[in-house]
């Protein structure tokens, strides 16, 4: 489902003396349907970068980044947009809030984007928000005023509203209490069971051990020291 | 013996105006620019109509001049005398006897024939002018037949007044192509625009001539659910009793008494001569 | 799938000065393209050249028309182009005054396009106008008011309604939120976002505000001195800018 072949990434900071910052190279990775892989490594080693490369948010310098057969590194913007709509979900660390959109609609949006009827989409959104313990009185409010933890749970609910065949989860259990953490892990296991290919970043070892089938240390992809 | 050329204008000017008239007749409703001359009356006093009449008149013509239907207003009298002096043509007040009729803001009640020419005085020839002030834009709209804006004006009327409030200078579509301003005739006269006579329109200040040949289709603009109605005051003429003619309202005293009389003076006179009497009229048609 | 719009080698010069040079891109149905750049970058020149307001010196603007398939709009006759501008295309100006008739009522402004394509039933036209006022969140009690009595944000929303009433497939927008108060901008962007989604519109939005493109645009083109220096997926161009100028632009945006 997700396949990386010989991917490398560096940043060139043109306005800071054209400094070149290599981040990773020779990345080879494969995740099949129903499999969950955890990314580990020290802070700054490139875990989020790798995730963003897969999502198309960062441009790969070289190599193939294939999701469901589409090479994201070479694809047209509209192909990536279609991929993000129908195939690849991404739960980032922070919820990007659009003012004035109620939490219920934020969560329902991925379903509406694939053509789900409004009522069905909202019902699914409601059940997810309830599962994640967001009080019903908050559903019609914009998440702008929610606490960090509440925003994160809205973010997660949104990521699980539509059954993506592939999912990228960046610290999904951070800032959650035990009860909600358990709910999220349950959602992840549900996704695995229906055949999703999942890549996750978990600082919490216990969580990682519970849902991930294997781990990859991204320091293995660090650039060699300059010769 | 007059020192003027026949009908005041020199022959070359008349040719220029006649070319414009022919163009106008060839493209009904299309405003033809022409080199309007200085006339011995100011702009706003009928210079366009006078130039068209001057170019149209021949020594054998009989001319009638009316101003809002009346032969005896100052302006009608002045213009009639102008042509008597400069062209030496016969003049008349009887519609049926005239071969050329110059009119300000009315169409005669009597039905006109194929042997007659009606010349209208036009203040603002451009029907879209008050909505679109740019001449460059209105010319494009006419040439591309983009008349949505005209309906916007009618829409605005209905939304503000409950009905199309335009009561004179009511826009029409000529031969299904050009939208035309028929000059400030009351909308009651619009149906008469389909007639047997030639209709010529002259705007002196704005320098435009347009024309409607005989038996041309002239349709007043409207909406499907607000159709055009040629309305007039719900009265009969108090002098001749006609219920079909367009009426002027005359205030009689400061107690609010008023009477309604035919705006077309010749029409009223001829009806009374036939013995018709209105509410306030005296019987003029007693057996001679 | 056929692109809705194909822009090829579009170039507009002002004497020796470059307005925009050799711009190429394809836009597909339902895509929103943002064009960003600072003053003088050529973005407005590009937009106006594409929309047919100012003829370019070189290039093609091929639109997939309903009746005849892909056609170069620059080669169209003026009546055809103007008809396109009233039906399948829309242009939202930066200043509502340029895109509205200020002396005509709100209902008349919205109804004009309907009447221009043959609408002749007053009741229907008025009903559609009222419906659209609702969709752009203007009270339909104001249907007979003139735009001169509206606030800036309302005028802009009216302009949008006037443009969208005939269901165009492509909307050009020139700084649609320029000059509006921040809260008014937010509301307008929100409205645009939902209308674009609901109606499946394609749009080309010129702006200098990166927050606007992040919210509205799927794709982004960055212009400098008349040239396109970078283009791609919006979030990728903003989060991982490759070109020096893009990096400068992105890093210059103040964080609130």
């Amino acid at each position: 489902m997700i396949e990386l072949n010989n991917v490398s990434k560096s940043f060139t900071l043109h306005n800071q003396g054209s400094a070149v910052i290599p981040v990773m190279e020779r990345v080879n990775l494969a995740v099949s349907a129903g499999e969950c892989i955890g990314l580990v490594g020290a802070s700054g080693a490139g875990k989020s970068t790798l995730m963003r490369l897969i999502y198309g948010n960062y441009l790969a310098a070289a190599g193939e980044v294939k999701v469901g057969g589409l090479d994201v590194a070479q694809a047209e913007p509209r192909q990536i947009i279609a991929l993000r709509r129908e195939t690849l979900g991404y739960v980032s660390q922070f919820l990007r809030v659009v003012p004035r959109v109620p939490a219920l609609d934020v969560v329902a949006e991925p379903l509406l984007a694939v053509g789900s009827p409004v009522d069905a989409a909202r019902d699914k959104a409601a059940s997810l928000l309830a599962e994640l313990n967001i009080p019903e009185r908050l559903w019609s409010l914009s998440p702008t005023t929610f606490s960090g933890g509440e925003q994160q749970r809205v973010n997660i609910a949104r990521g699980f509203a539509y059954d993506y065949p592939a999912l990228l989860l960046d610290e999904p259990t951070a800032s959650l209490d035990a009860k909600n953490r358990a709910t999220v892990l349950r959602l992840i296991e549900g996704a695995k069971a229906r055949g999703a290919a999942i890549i996750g970043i978990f600082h919490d070892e216990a969580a990682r051990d519970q849902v991930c089938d294997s781990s990859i240390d991204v320091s293995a992809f660090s650039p060699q020291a300059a010769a | 013996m007059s020192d003027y050329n026949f009908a005041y204008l020199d022959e070359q000017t008349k040719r220029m105006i006649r070319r414009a008239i022919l163009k106008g007749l060839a493209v009904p409703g299309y405003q033809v620019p022409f080199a309007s001359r200085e006339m011995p009356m100011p702009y706003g006093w009928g210079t366009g109509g006078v130039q068209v009449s001057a170019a149209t008149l021949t020594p054998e013509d009989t001319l009638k001049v009316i101003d809002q239907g009346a032969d005896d207003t100052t302006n009608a009298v002045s213009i009639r005398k102008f042509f008597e002096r400069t062209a030496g043509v016969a003049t008349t007040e009887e519609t049926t006897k005239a071969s050329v009729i110059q009119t300000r803001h009315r169409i005669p009640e009597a039905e006109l024939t194929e042997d007659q020419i009606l010349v209208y005085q036009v203040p603002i020839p451009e029907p879209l002018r008050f909505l679109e002030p740019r001449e460059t834009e209105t010319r494009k709209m006419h040439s591309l037949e983009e008349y949505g804006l005209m309906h916007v004006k009618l829409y605005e009327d209905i939304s503000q007044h409950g009905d199309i409030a335009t009561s004179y200078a009511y826009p029409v579509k000529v031969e299904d192509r050009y939208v035309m301003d028929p000059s400030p005739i009351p909308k009651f006269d619009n149906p008469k625009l389909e007639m047997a006579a030639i209709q010529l329109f002259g705007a002196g200040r704005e320098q435009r001539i347009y024309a409607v040949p005989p038996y041309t289709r002239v349709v007043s603009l409207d909406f499907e659910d607000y159709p055009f109605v040629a309305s007039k005051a719900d009265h009969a003429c108090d002098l001749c009793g006609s219920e079909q003619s367009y009426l002027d309202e005359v205030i009689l005293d400061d107690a609010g008494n008023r009477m309604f009389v035919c705006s077309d003076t010749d029409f009223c006179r001829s009806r009374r001569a036939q013995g018709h009497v209105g509410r306030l009229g005296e019987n003029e048609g007693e057996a001679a | 799938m056929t692109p809705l719009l194909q822009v090829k080698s579009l170039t507009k010069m002002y004497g020796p000065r470059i307005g925009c040079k050799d711009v190429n891109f394809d836009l597909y149905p339902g895509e929103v393209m943002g064009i960003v750049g600072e003053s003088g970058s050529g973005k407005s020149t590009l937009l106006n050249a594409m929309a047919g307001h100012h003829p370019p010196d070189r290039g093609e603007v091929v639109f997939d028309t309903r009746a005849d398939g892909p056609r170069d709009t620059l080669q169209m006759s003026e009546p055809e182009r103007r008809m396109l501008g009233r039906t399948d295309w829309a242009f939202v100006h930066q200043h509502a005054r340029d895109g509205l008739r200020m002396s005509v009522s709100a209902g008349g402004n919205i109804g004009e396009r309907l009447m221009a394509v043959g609408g002749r039933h007053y009741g229907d036209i008025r009903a559609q106008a009222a419906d659209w006022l609702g969709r752009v969140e203007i009270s339909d009690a104001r249907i007979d008011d003139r735009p001169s009595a509206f606030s800036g944000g309302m005028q802009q929303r009216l302009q949008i309604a006037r443009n969208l009433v005939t269901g165009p497939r492509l909307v050009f927008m020139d700084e649609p939120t320029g000059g509006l108060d921040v809260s008014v901008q937010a509301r307008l962007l929100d409205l645009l976002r939902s209308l674009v989604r609901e109606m499946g519109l394609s749009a080309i939005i010129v702006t200098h505000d990166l927050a606007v493109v992040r919210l509205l645009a799927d794709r982004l083109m960055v212009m400098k001195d008349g040239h396109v220096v970078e283009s791609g997926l919006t979030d990728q161009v903003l989060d991982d800018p490759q070109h020096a100028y893009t990096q400068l632009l992105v890093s210059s945006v103040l964080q609130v």
Side-chain angles (χ1 to χ4, degrees), chain C residues 9-249:
Chain C
S9 303
L10 202 59
T11 302
K12 168 90 186 145
M13 307 289 288
Y14 296 106
R17 273 190 10 245
I18 299 177
C20 65
K21 197 143 194 280
D22 285 325
V23 180
N24 292 283
F25 69 91
D26 291 344
L27 190 72
Y28 286 83
E31 277 192 319
V32 178
M33 161 82 89
I35 304 178
V36 293
E38 298 177 306
S39 296
S41 58
K43 55 190 197 295
S44 289
T45 302
L46 176 59
L47 193 73
N48 284 307
M50 284 190 284
H53 295 171
H54 303 306
D57 295 305
R58 228 175 32 244
E60 294 171 40
V61 177
V62 180
F63 180 72
D64 189 20
T65 61
R66 285 189 223 251
D68 303 314
R71 289 197 49 202
D72 183 6
T73 58
L74 300 176
Q75 301 299 321
M76 278 181 176
S77 67
E78 186 156 10
E80 283 180 297
R81 219 192 348 261
R82 280 169 79 111
M83 184 52 129
L84 194 61
R86 278 201 300 278
T87 51
D88 241 356
W89 277 14
F91 197 106
V92 177
H93 291 84
Q94 180 175 3
H95 302 293
R97 282 159 192 271
D98 294 330
L100 291 173
R101 294 201 191 270
M102 300 307 282
S103 58
V104 169
S105 72
N109 263 291
I110 299 175
E112 184 178 345
R113 274 188 136 189
L114 294 170
M115 291 184 254
V117 295
R120 290 291 177 267
H121 192 279
Y122 174 82
D124 287 348
I125 293 166
R126 195 173 169 82
Q128 282 197 63
D131 174 56
W132 266 95
L133 284 175
R135 290 171 80 163
V136 298
E137 298 178 24
I138 296 177
S139 159
D140 64 6
R142 308 210 61 179
I143 189 171
D144 296 321
D145 290 347
R146 303 235 167 98
S148 40
F150 287 5
S151 68
M154 281 172 83
Q155 286 179 356
Q156 200 57 318
R157 278 179 279 139
L158 180 62
Q159 206 202 155
I160 289 166
R162 174 184 159 90
N163 268 291
L164 297 186
V165 70
T166 43
R169 287 186 294 152
L170 178 60
V171 185
F172 297 96
M173 296 195 222
D174 190 0
E175 307 270 9
T177 56
L180 297 175
D181 291 333
V182 175
S183 63
V184 175
Q185 276 193 39
R187 194 175 175 191
L188 189 69
L189 287 174
D190 206 28
L191 176 69
L192 286 171
R193 221 170 126 258
S194 49
L195 284 173
V196 163
R197 248 197 355 243
E198 270 172 52
M199 295 176 72
L201 295 175
S202 303
I204 300 179
I205 304 177
V206 156
T207 180
H208 63 269
D209 188 341
L210 296 181
V212 170
V213 289
R214 190 167 302 258
L215 193 60
L216 288 181
D218 305 310
R219 294 164 58 187
L220 192 54
M221 276 191 341
V222 181
M223 290 190 74
K224 184 179 197 301
D225 295 331
H227 297 270
V228 176
V229 298
E230 188 164 353
S231 71
L233 217 46
T234 303
D235 63 280
Q236 180 259 299
V237 172
L238 293 177
D239 289 341
D240 188 15
Q242 304 294 301
H243 190 274
Y245 178 66
T246 318
Q247 291 182 356
L248 179 64
L249 210 56

Side-chain angles (χ1 to χ4, degrees), chain B residues 130-132 134 137 140-141 144 146-149 151-152 154-156 158-160 222-226, chain C residues 78-79 82 86 101 103-105 107-108 112 115-116 119-126 129 143-144 146:
Chain B
F130 295 104
L131 290 163
E132 177 50 76
R134 296 168 289 181
E137 259 308 293
K140 265 204 194 134
M141 286 167 158
L144 301 176
E146 287 182 9
Y147 290 127
L149 198 55
H151 278 86
V152 171
L154 301 179
Y155 169 97
E156 292 291 285
I158 300 173
S159 70
Q160 281 168 30
D222 59 11
F223 283 102
E224 287 162 11
D225 46 341
Y226 284 82
Chain C
E78 186 156 10
R82 280 169 79 111
R86 278 201 300 278
R101 294 201 191 270
S103 58
V104 169
S105 72
E112 184 178 345
M115 291 184 254
R120 290 291 177 267
H121 192 279
Y122 174 82
D124 287 348
I125 293 166
R126 195 173 169 82
I143 189 171
D144 296 321
R146 303 235 167 98

Side-chain angles (χ1 to χ4, degrees), chain A residues 187-207:
Chain A
L187 285 170
I188 296 173
E189 281 175 339
K192 270 178 75 178
R194 62 168 169 76
I198 304 177
I199 300 182
I201 300 173
F202 302 89
H203 265 132
D204 176 2
E205 261 191 72

Side-chain angles (χ1 to χ4, degrees), chain B residues 241-262:
Chain B
S242 169
E243 297 194 336
Q244 316 301 327
S245 70
Y246 188 73
L247 303 170
D248 286 336
E249 183 180 352
V250 183
I251 309 294
L252 295 173
D253 53 38
D254 55 13
N257 291 309
R258 54 201 181 138
M259 66 188 283
F260 288 86
V261 286
C262 291

Side-chain angles (χ1 to χ4, degrees), chain B residues 30-224:
Chain B
Y30 165 70
Q31 298 164 49
V32 184
F34 82 106
S36 181
R37 297 290 191 246
E38 273 190 30
M39 300 297 287
M41 68 278 292
Y43 290 138
W45 293 80
T47 57
V50 168
Q51 287 177 84
V52 171
S53 293
T56 309
L57 282 171
T58 63
E60 299 77 33
D61 276 311
T62 304
L63 175 70
K64 173 180 159 81
V65 183
I66 45 172
D67 176 2
Q68 307 235 192
D71 300 84
D72 56 357
T73 70
T74 311
N75 298 324
V77 169
S78 297
I79 293 173
R80 195 165 60 238
K81 284 205 148 82
F82 171 79
F83 281 115
E84 280 171 5
R85 177 138 181 238
T86 60
V89 289
T91 59
T92 178
E93 293 192 12
E94 291 178 60
T95 308
T96 48
K97 297 219 169 81
S99 56
V100 176
I101 303 168
Q102 178 167 330
T103 176
R104 177 179 168 273
H105 305 352
R106 277 237 56 214
I107 299 181
E109 304 289 348
E111 204 175 312
L112 300 179
T113 69
E114 287 178 8
D115 300 317
Q116 293 174 302
I117 298 176
L118 186 60
V119 178
Y120 295 77
Q121 293 172 208
V122 179
I124 304 278
E126 177 51 66
L128 298 162
R129 179 60 62 229
F130 295 104
L131 290 163
E132 177 50 76
R134 296 168 289 181
E135 172 77 4
T136 47
E137 259 308 293
T138 51
R139 284 201 196 191
K140 265 204 194 134
M141 286 167 158
H142 284 294
S143 69
L144 301 176
E145 213 179 333
E146 287 182 9
Y147 290 127
L149 198 55
M150 202 65 247
H151 278 86
V152 171
K153 159 98 181 46
L154 301 179
Y155 169 97
E156 292 291 285
D157 273 359
I158 300 173
S159 70
Q160 281 168 30
H161 309 293
D163 208 339
I164 297 177
T166 309
S167 54
Y168 61 90
Y170 194 102
V172 295
K173 198 148 206 227
V174 181
E175 273 300 290
D176 261 321
R177 178 56 181 88
Y178 281 95
V179 166
M180 181 186 97
D181 182 330
S183 83
I185 54 175
K187 68 177 179 176
F188 175 77
D189 281 346
N190 274 28
K192 301 194 190 79
L193 288 163
E194 292 189 352
M195 61 165 73
I198 292 174
Q199 297 171 85
L200 304 177
F201 298 79
R205 178 186 51 216
E206 295 298 313
Q207 310 195 41
R208 297 286 185 275
I209 284 172
Y210 46 104
V212 177
Y215 307 116
T216 303
R217 241 171 79 77
V218 179
V219 177
S220 301
L221 302 182
D222 59 11
F223 283 102
E224 287 162 11

